[in-house]
Amino acid sequence: MPSLYRQMSDRGVAAHVVMPAAYQNSFLTRWACDGAEYHPYAQPEEAPTLTAATLQPGQPSYTLVYFPEYDLICHGSGPDSPEAHAELRRTDRIVGDLLAALPRNGDTLVVLTADHGQSAQRPDDYVDVITKKVMKTLLRGPVAGEERAAYLRTHPDHHAEIEVLLTPHATLLTADDAWTGGLFGPPAHADPRLRPRVGDLIAVPHPGHAIRRPTSPAPMLGLHGGWTSEEMLVPVLSVRV
């Protein structure tokens, strides 16, 4: 289906994205940002000037400014780490510079938000039940999703075995129940073409736990995807300038 930016562009709204230069030519970026003019930056401090330049008098426009570093640092060092706090202060300064760079005419709405929260994860609390042997014998494909919300495609004959492995460590629900129950959006609007991505069984680890996958990198110290208050707390701030 057409991207958000393509839909806006087709309606006469100029669409822009201000994102790291390293992401510009990736498949995901070219797919998700189709229809938008890409404004790459080498350092986030360049974003305010690039963003201000996307605004043209009398031209309706929409600009996404993306800062990925805070999330990456939280994953690697933990959301409570000095490194994460320092990056948050850096982002705060950049947002202040961005607001200062915009024209003060009341025509621009700035919304600051995130796509998820994040919780601290102790390396010793990873659960090692999805081994390579389990993947080969009980599952029909790799584990998808997150360490804090795993989507599994189970062999029908081995569904009960997977449940026995995961029940002590996670809340389990069938993907059908999650889909019809609205966890992926209101059923009337959920696109059935996306249903196969969810798999057959969803495992949401208990607070403090995470499901390690054989294909996962080194244990991360910050995770998201589960139902803890930290993971579901998403900031939304707005101001009109």
Side-chain angles (χ1 to χ4, degrees):
M1 60 183 67
S3 71
L4 172 67
Y5 307 102
R6 176 61 61 191
Q7 294 177 58
M8 288 190 291
S9 180
D10 290 345
R11 288 166 173 78
V13 177
H16 304 268
V17 292
V18 179
M19 294 173 57
Y23 294 0
Q24 184 168 2
N25 295 313
S26 75
F27 174 82
L28 180 59
T29 297
R30 287 186 282 112
W31 169 73
C33 299
D34 175 58
E37 183 177 351
Y38 200 101
H39 305 270
Y41 64 75
Q43 295 295 329
E45 284 77 7
E46 302 167 23
T49 300
L50 292 172
T51 303
T54 67
L55 297 158
Q56 300 298 325
Q59 169 67 56
S61 63
Y62 178 94
T63 301
L64 171 76
V65 187
Y66 180 49
F67 300 118
E69 290 301 319
Y70 179 62
D71 176 68
L72 295 173
I73 290 173
C74 286
H75 277 307
S77 301
D80 300 324
S81 66
E83 293 86 352
H85 293 171
E87 184 61 27
L88 188 58
R89 289 192 293 270
R90 179 193 188 192
T91 303
D92 184 65
R93 289 194 298 270
I94 295 170
V95 171
D97 292 342
L98 188 152
L99 292 175
L102 298 177
R104 302 301 229 191
N105 52 19
D107 289 339
T108 303
L109 178 66
V110 180
V111 179
L112 174 68
T113 188
D115 54 347
H116 54 70
Q118 195 154 143
S119 63
Q121 182 64 45
R122 286 166 25 102
D124 292 344
D125 289 332
Y126 274 83
V127 178
D128 293 306
V129 293
I130 305 297
T131 62
K132 290 182 179 180
K133 180 180 179 180
V134 167
M135 289 182 63
K136 290 180 179 179
T137 59
L138 306 185
L139 300 180
R140 295 185 290 113
V143 181
E146 305 275 355
E147 285 82 353
R148 291 278 301 135
Y151 303 162
L152 304 107
R153 291 173 170 81
T154 60
H155 282 297
D157 295 341
H158 299 296
H159 190 91
E161 294 176 63
I162 287 290
E163 288 191 342
V164 169
L165 284 174
L166 291 173
T167 296
H169 313 289
T171 299
L172 303 181
L173 64 160
T174 68
D176 285 339
D177 286 345
W179 191 264
T180 58
L183 291 183
F184 293 93
H189 302 287
D191 192 327
R193 291 176 297 176
L194 304 180
R195 168 62 186 84
R197 300 184 185 184
V198 184
D200 307 306
L201 186 68
I202 300 174
V204 181
H206 302 319
H209 293 270
I211 295 175
R212 195 199 315 271
R213 294 169 286 181
T215 55
S216 296
M220 293 185 285
L221 302 182
L223 295 174
H224 51 76
W227 293 336
T228 63
S229 58
E230 294 90 350
E231 291 163 279
M232 294 193 295
L233 180 62
V234 179
V236 181
L237 305 171
S238 66
V239 61
R240 185 173 291 278
V241 298

